Amino acid sequence: MKIDKITELRPQDLITIEMLTERGACAEGMAWVKANLPDGAPYQSFLEALEADSKYDWASWLIFHFGAAVLAANWRVPQIISATKKIVSSGDSAQIGSSGDSAQIGSSGNYAQIGSSGNYAQIGSSGDYARIGSSGNYARIGSSGDSAQIGSSGNYARIGSSGNSARIGSSGNSAQIEATGKNSILACVGENCIAKSAEGGCIALRYTDASGRARLAVGYVGEDIEADSWYRAGKEGKLEKVEGSDSSAQETSR
């Protein structure tokens, strides 16, 4: 597994054609950039331009190669809800389902149950006790209420929770999971995942031991891992801190 040093950019930092070339961007992607952003663009603006043109997989590639600090702006619940075009619910105990691609789902009531099976879903919930499930790839899921239960089985999920006592699980590869509320539990059994938890939190990430068996590396905030820091599973079965801060440098496995 190659370990690649990555500089994590802030939303306002400029991404240039030279930087993309160094990261090995594909020819099709470089042609799009030269046609649409020939002078480059700030990281956040670059992501917004890709998403506006439905280049979701390229946006995920950009996030992977330049870091996750900007993700918080992408999973803000009010932003998702305000941008929702397909399904919106403001009442309590809503039950919402979607099977199509590119679904935008927003709920502001308590006890919401939200499910999506298509790719590129954007799901936001601001109420307490939400239950959110997504099986498609490239899902973006945000929850700001307490006691949320969030599950994702697709690859490249971006999951964020700011409420307390969240329970977040992902079985897809290359997930990025962040919980800023207290006493949250985060688990990812897919490969190449990273996670960050707050005070009282717990993180469990998959790794493969020397015999080829899949195992979980587990850490508890305040005991063997720190709050508000990104971690990945190391080969020795311990969680390894992603070097640097959210605004400097990190190492990501791929």
Side-chain angles (χ1 to χ4, degrees), residues 112-168:
Q113 299 186 42
I114 303 172
S116 175
S117 60
N119 297 323
Y120 308 109
Q122 298 188 48
I123 304 172
S125 175
S126 60
D128 295 334
Y129 306 104
R131 294 185 177 184
I132 303 172
S134 174
S135 60
N137 296 326
Y138 305 103
R140 296 193 174 187
I141 304 172
S143 175
S144 60
D146 293 336
S147 304
Q149 297 183 39
I150 303 172
S152 174
S153 60
N155 297 325
Y156 306 105
R158 306 294 185 261
I159 304 172
S161 174
S162 59
N164 297 323
S165 303
R167 302 291 182 267
I168 303 173

Side-chain angles (χ1 to χ4, degrees), residues 54-78:
S54 299
K55 305 296 186 183
Y56 300 107
D57 53 342
W58 294 356
S60 292
W61 182 93
L62 201 73
I63 290 169
F64 179 86
H65 283 274
F66 292 98
V70 74
L71 286 176
N74 290 334
W75 63 44
R76 295 289 185 190
V77 173

Side-chain angles (χ1 to χ4, degrees), residues 5 22 36 72 90 111 126 139 164 175 189 191 197 208 220 227 242:
K5 191 73 172 180
E22 290 175 358
N36 293 275
S90 60
Y111 304 102
S126 60
N164 297 323
V189 296
E191 298 179 350
S197 192
T208 303
Y220 299 89
V242 175

Side-chain angles (χ1 to χ4, degrees), residues 11-213:
Q12 66 270 30
D13 289 339
L14 184 68
I15 293 181
T16 65
I17 289 179
E18 290 73 20
M19 294 165 69
L20 296 172
T21 301
E22 290 175 358
R23 285 290 161 200
C26 67
E28 183 182 2
M30 291 299 295
W32 183 93
V33 172
K34 291 176 180 178
N36 293 275
L37 301 171
D39 298 321
Y43 187 15
Q44 180 69 42
S45 299
F46 214 118
L47 283 173
E48 291 172 351
L50 288 171
E51 292 177 344
D53 200 20
S54 299
K55 305 296 186 183
Y56 300 107
D57 53 342
W58 294 356
S60 292
W61 182 93
L62 201 73
I63 290 169
F64 179 86
H65 283 274
F66 292 98
V70 74
L71 286 176
N74 290 334
W75 63 44
R76 295 289 185 190
V77 173
Q79 180 186 23
I80 293 174
I81 292 177
S82 65
T84 296
K85 298 178 181 178
K86 292 189 176 180
I87 303 173
V88 178
S89 174
S90 60
D92 291 341
S93 304
Q95 298 185 11
I96 303 170
S98 174
S99 60
D101 292 341
S102 305
Q104 295 180 311
I105 302 172
S107 175
S108 59
N110 298 323
Y111 304 102
Q113 299 186 42
I114 303 172
S116 175
S117 60
N119 297 323
Y120 308 109
Q122 298 188 48
I123 304 172
S125 175
S126 60
D128 295 334
Y129 306 104
R131 294 185 177 184
I132 303 172
S134 174
S135 60
N137 296 326
Y138 305 103
R140 296 193 174 187
I141 304 172
S143 175
S144 60
D146 293 336
S147 304
Q149 297 183 39
I150 303 172
S152 174
S153 60
N155 297 325
Y156 306 105
R158 306 294 185 261
I159 304 172
S161 174
S162 59
N164 297 323
S165 303
R167 302 291 182 267
I168 303 173
S170 174
S171 60
N173 298 326
S174 303
Q176 297 188 14
I177 306 174
E178 177 179 3
T180 58
K182 297 180 179 179
N183 304 318
S184 297
I185 297 176
L186 287 61
C188 184
V189 296
E191 298 179 350
N192 301 324
C193 297
I194 60 174
K196 177 167 63 173
S197 192
E199 180 182 341
C202 172
I203 295 174
L205 300 177
R206 173 184 171 164
Y207 74 99
T208 303
D209 66 16
S211 69
R213 180 171 182 173

Side-chain angles (χ1 to χ4, degrees), residues 1 3 193-196 203 205-207 217-219 224-226 229-244 250-253:
M1 181 179 294
I3 305 300
C193 297
I194 60 174
K196 177 167 63 173
I203 295 174
L205 300 177
R206 173 184 171 164
Y207 74 99
V218 181
D224 39 19
I225 61 175
E226 299 176 5
S229 295
W230 288 102
Y231 284 88
R232 65 181 177 191
K235 294 181 179 179
E236 303 301 320
K238 294 184 178 180
L239 292 180
E240 297 178 350
K241 189 175 182 181
V242 175
E243 296 298 331
Q250 73 176 32
E251 288 181 346
T252 302
S253 59

